[in-house]
Amino acid sequence: MSLQPIYVTQPSLPPLEEYIPYLEEIWTNRVLTNDGPFHKRLEQALVEHLGVPQVSLFNNGTIALHVALQALCLTGEVITTPFSFVATTHAIAWSGLTPVFVDVEPGTLNIDPARIEAAISPRTTAILAVHCYGTPCDVDAIAEIARRHGLRVIYDAAHAFGVTVRGESILRAGDLSVLSFHATKVFNTFEGGAIISPNAEMKLHIDQMKNFGIVNQTTVVATGTNGKMNEVQAAFGLLQLKHLGPALERRLAIDEAYRRALADITGVRCLEPRPSQVSNGSYFPVLIDERHPYTRDEVFSRLAAAGINGRRYFYPLISTFPMYAKLPTADAAHLPVATRAAEQVLCLPIYADLPPETVERVAAVLRP
Ligand code: T4K
């Protein structure tokens, strides 16, 4: 019997018939985009669901990152992590800014606050940190550094939908946080994203920026772009949100099952959440070190041979890509922790509809 291939992630989709009333309403309204009724409803629903002050929806997380960087009028250099999806650094470069790479902490694989100050120059204006795999950055330490040096802080929170620490949304940290609602994310609108901002004034500015900088029919105040989420995306997001609770529970059950199944395997390390963190089960990364009889790439291939498609997120490091490799801070010797993590990391399949027996199939391949 041939088994269905297993992917690193799969979107959870509500039953097809539940989409129909949403589409009927759009057909009746004939409002397809530009801050329509579903767009307004989803923004309000997310404010409540996430416990954040303001939400601005976007057509994807990448454009939301671009707008976040531009909304804060940054110049010069932006300190960031090389251990992320390439969109993080691309957003800095697309804004005409220079990325400055800082190494990550071994525990969380997030930017290491202890190394940030050494990277600050007179040209530095901001820190763009990533809550990698949904594990929160050390936001207190980063806030303190930013305060001392007058820097802005943006969090790429693409993986951190719904994550809280001590009962508070991690999306409230920093000046702005950016979410992705891509199909591969915990909460998806097929493609989509959002910026979380602290007040109505900043939200208004961001909303203008994502709508060409338009204020009204005769007034344009900023060099904006088209970052608008359309009504189908927003309606599908509202439907997703209704089903999110059980989907999250199933993800977290898989997370727990992996931890139990992998606990006794020498050379395989699971990343730990922060104390008082409520996770979202968005990814399940493991690090495979020298004590394991197989290299990470051998484990990756053995899993693939068993029909299980893990992913080496985030290998290669962003700093090794040709457009960044010549930057002074891209040298591997400057980024030893990230370089080692990129060689060891493997993200295992995790999603709401993952057949539960997959966990044991994966563990069997990892168990020497
Ligand atoms: N910042 C960070 C830290 C990010 O991780 C991302 C995106 C962004 C910013 C940018 O946000 P967006 O602009 O994307 O909103 C995927 C996603 O395309 C990307 O959104 C995501 N991060 C990144 C980590 O992963 P790929 O190239 O690995 O995706 P792909 O197509 O290989 O999909 C992975 C697996 O998911 C497939 O093997 C099967 C499954 N899948 C995928 C899609 C698209 C499905 O089952 N259905 C689907 O529709 O980049």
Side-chain angles (χ1 to χ4, degrees):
M1 184 190 74
S2 77
L3 290 164
Q4 284 289 326
I6 300 285
Y7 297 102
V8 68
T9 187
Q10 288 253 283
S12 30
L13 291 173
L16 190 54
E17 61 274 14
E18 292 191 27
Y19 287 85
I20 305 301
Y22 289 82
L23 292 172
E24 282 173 350
E25 202 173 324
I26 293 171
W27 260 242
T28 306
N29 293 338
R30 289 180 181 262
V31 176
L32 308 187
T33 187
N34 288 10
D35 201 19
F38 279 115
H39 187 282
K40 287 191 173 64
R41 276 168 61 189
L42 182 59
E43 283 195 341
Q44 187 52 36
L46 289 174
V47 162
E48 287 159 23
H49 180 89
L50 296 169
V52 294
Q54 304 287 342
V55 172
S56 299
L57 296 174
F58 276 79
N59 48 5
N60 62 59
T62 301
I63 299 293
L65 275 173
H66 294 185
V67 169
L69 287 158
Q70 303 220 0
L72 298 180
C73 302
L74 304 180
T75 57
E77 296 175 358
V78 174
I79 289 174
T80 193
T81 168
F83 194 81
S84 181
F85 187 58
V86 69
T88 310
T89 309
H90 278 354
I92 297 172
W94 266 72
S95 299
L97 303 162
T98 305
V100 172
F101 295 114
V102 164
D103 207 359
V104 298
E105 304 171 316
T108 60
L109 304 184
N110 289 331
I111 195 165
D112 185 347
R115 293 173 191 272
I116 290 177
E117 278 191 296
I120 296 174
S121 83
R123 299 188 65 226
T124 311
T125 53
I127 301 167
L128 173 55
V130 180
H131 302 302
C132 198
Y133 310 127
T135 311
C137 292
D138 185 344
V139 295
D140 294 339
I142 292 172
E144 179 52 27
I145 295 165
R147 191 193 58 75
R148 273 206 301 275
H149 296 271
L151 305 179
R152 310 308 291 266
V153 180
I154 299 175
Y155 284 103
D156 179 338
H159 306 167
F161 186 94
V163 173
T164 62
V165 175
R166 292 185 295 274
E168 179 160 295
S169 172
I170 196 65
L171 304 173
R172 300 177 80 103
D175 292 287
L176 299 173
S177 288
V178 176
L179 288 162
S180 165
F181 303 152
H182 182 260
T184 54
K185 298 296 187 286
V186 165
F187 167 77
N188 85 76
T189 56
F190 286 36
E191 292 268 5
I195 299 181
I196 309 303
S197 52
N199 54 54
E201 195 187 345
M202 179 56 89
K203 174 175 162 54
L204 179 64
H205 179 45
I206 287 167
D207 288 348
Q208 288 169 352
M209 293 283 291
K210 76 172 188 193
N211 186 29
F212 314 101
I214 291 175
V215 173
N216 58 41
Q217 288 186 18
T218 54
T219 314
V220 175
V221 292
T223 318
T225 186
N226 183 352
K228 292 166 285 150
M229 177 181 278
N230 68 48
E231 284 291 278
V232 175
Q233 288 173 291
F236 287 4
L238 278 166
L239 179 56
Q240 269 271 321
L241 210 50
K242 281 199 348 201
H243 289 265
L244 197 62
L248 276 176
E249 276 172 27
R250 294 203 295 277
R251 279 180 178 272
L252 293 176
I254 291 160
D255 181 295
E256 259 185 61
Y258 271 133
R259 288 177 194 281
R260 276 196 306 274
L262 303 175
D264 61 343
I265 306 180
T266 306
V268 174
R269 172 162 79 89
C270 304
L271 296 192
E272 296 302 323
R274 285 196 181 276
S276 313
Q277 174 186 336
V278 173
S279 308
N280 63 6
S282 55
Y283 292 88
F284 198 87
V286 293
L287 297 168
I288 296 164
D289 68 31
E290 319 46 47
R291 294 169 303 156
H292 198 273
Y294 298 111
T295 64
R296 183 276 312 272
D297 288 344
E298 285 166 346
V299 174
F300 174 71
S301 303
R302 291 167 74 87
L303 278 173
I308 296 164
N309 298 290
R311 283 299 276 268
R312 290 165 289 188
Y313 295 133
F314 290 101
Y315 163 84
L317 277 190
I318 301 175
S319 46
T320 67
F321 291 131
M323 64 298 288
Y324 304 119
K326 290 200 170 61
L327 289 170
T329 55
D331 189 350
H334 170 71
L335 306 166
V337 182
T339 300
R340 191 170 144 80
E343 283 161 9
Q344 294 184 340
V345 74
L346 186 58
C347 285
L348 304 178
I350 186 164
Y351 46 94
D353 301 324
L354 186 76
E357 65 277 9
T358 312
V359 171
E360 200 33 59
R361 283 176 61 202
V362 169
V365 175
L366 283 167
R367 202 171 284 129

